[in-house]
Amino acid sequence: MTSATFETLLFDTNDDGIATITINRPDKLNALNSKVLSELSEAIKTAESDRDVKAVILTGSGEKAFVAGADIKELSSLNREQGEELAARGQSIFSAIENCGKPVIAVVNGYALGGGAELAMACHVRIATSNALFGLPEVSLGLIPGYGGTQRLPQLVGKSKAMEMILTGGQLKADEALRFGLVNLVAESGEAMDEAHKMAGKMVKNGPVAISKAIAAVNASSKTDGFAREAMLFGELCTTEDFKEGTTAFLEKRKPSFKGE
Ligand code: COA
């Protein structure tokens, strides 16, 4: 049985072969800093290569947030090259989740903002708690989503709703997310993990090779070549005054004043 040790994640596998990865930075609302990203990448590789693991549940620690986004403190000092590199790295980790040959179910237990929403969207299935909130608020920081959000959100909710969400930076409540097909199921917070185990239980009864090929076949229907463009534009935005103002305003806990420069 796998029980890997990480600094920013909890990783446990039960007797049915269902591994739970919990992002564990509750004091920062589980924001994705570079340590979390590398450990997440390791954890997915561990789950994928361990024959005893048959499915993965991914969630956040605490009751307030799944993941409140990329770590804005880390973002704030990026230059163009670093911005593009970070986006490409995040994209490649999230794409490893999407292409994992074992089902990955997100239990979205609160805020799923920015990179958090993008992470949930890279999973195969999403179960939300009734207090979950989804949004891509990057434009409020003078940025755009950089971990695949501009590519995956339109696939899940349609281009029109995706444009609205990305351009307003607004949030969708769990029931709306269900209505727009962003999540598969909404459950009370005490019940979401049970629902995820129930669903994973149904999946893991099936042939493991068939499951992995089914994931690959479904993913083949949604290949886009927009990821590189997203990463390039993300990097480009890191050179703007609006990006400096947006991230500084967040860290100083004030509203940004954008000049369009
Ligand atoms: N990056 C870094 N730190 C973050 C963070 C992020 N994305 N989201 C939250 N935090 C930190 C806060 O800075 C705060 O740290 P502090 O206690 O050291 O000051 C702590 O987590 C708690 O967050 P706080 O903002 O005080 O909680 P809140 O309940 O008032 O607001 C949110 C919750 C989610 C609305 C708010 O934290 C938020 O807007 N976060 C950023 C969301 C975002 O823009 N994500 C996209 C990033 S690309």
Side-chain angles (χ1 to χ4, degrees):
M1 185 171 312
T2 306
S3 168
T5 305
F6 297 96
E7 245 176 71
T8 62
L9 308 176
L10 307 173
F11 187 120
D12 288 299
T13 309
N14 72 7
D15 293 339
D16 299 327
I18 300 170
T20 301
I21 300 173
T22 307
I23 300 174
N24 191 28
R25 285 184 86 204
D27 55 324
K28 297 290 178 192
L29 305 186
N30 304 318
L32 301 173
N33 61 13
S34 34
K35 185 79 187 169
V36 178
L37 280 180
S38 345
E39 292 198 335
L40 194 52
S41 171
E42 268 317 297
I44 290 294
K45 280 185 200 149
T46 304
E48 189 152 30
S49 61
D50 185 337
R51 288 180 67 90
D52 291 339
V53 172
K54 299 195 168 61
V56 177
I57 296 173
L58 179 61
T59 192
S61 198
E63 294 205 344
K64 199 166 163 182
F66 171 66
V67 168
D71 192 305
I72 298 171
K73 192 152 186 247
E74 277 190 4
L75 290 185
S76 63
S77 60
L78 296 177
N79 62 27
R80 178 198 288 251
E81 206 180 33
Q82 292 165 330
E84 190 170 339
E85 249 172 51
L86 178 73
R89 179 161 168 258
Q91 285 181 6
S92 122
I93 296 167
F94 287 14
S95 145
I97 294 174
E98 185 171 49
N99 293 311
C100 177
K102 300 172 182 178
V104 184
I105 301 176
V107 170
V108 181
N109 55 319
Y111 289 114
L113 300 179
E118 292 173 294
L119 177 58
M121 288 191 278
C123 296
H124 302 131
V125 169
R126 284 149 293 282
I127 294 178
T129 55
S130 49
N131 67 328
L133 284 168
F134 293 82
L136 292 174
E138 284 85 351
V139 289
S140 71
L141 299 164
L143 274 176
I144 58 169
Y147 294 166
T150 63
Q151 306 304 299
R152 291 194 180 96
L153 187 62
Q155 290 169 2
L156 290 166
V157 304
K159 184 172 173 183
S160 173
K161 191 67 188 171
M163 278 288 186
E164 180 194 327
M165 284 179 71
I166 291 169
L167 300 183
T168 62
Q171 295 176 0
L172 276 193
K173 293 185 180 152
D175 57 340
E176 295 168 299
L178 182 63
R179 190 152 55 86
F180 283 100
L182 184 52
V183 303
N184 300 67
L185 191 74
V186 178
E188 287 313 313
S189 42
E191 290 160 18
M193 281 304 278
D194 286 350
E195 291 293 346
H197 276 100
K198 250 191 250 167
M199 194 185 285
K202 288 183 193 164
M203 293 170 174
V204 303
K205 277 194 203 133
N206 301 306
V209 183
I211 288 288
S212 87
K213 301 295 180 209
I215 292 169
V218 174
N219 283 343
S221 73
S222 55
K223 288 269 180 272
T224 109
D225 56 6
F227 287 96
R229 178 101 178 116
E230 181 191 82
M232 197 196 81
L233 294 170
F234 185 92
E236 211 171 290
L237 283 163
C238 291
T239 65
T240 64
E241 286 304 315
D242 283 355
F243 160 71
K244 288 196 188 81
E245 169 60 10
T247 49
T248 307
F250 176 80
L251 296 171
E252 292 176 354
K253 300 189 188 285
R254 62 171 172 82
K255 287 213 177 330
S257 163
F258 293 122
K259 296 202 170 66
E261 291 166 5

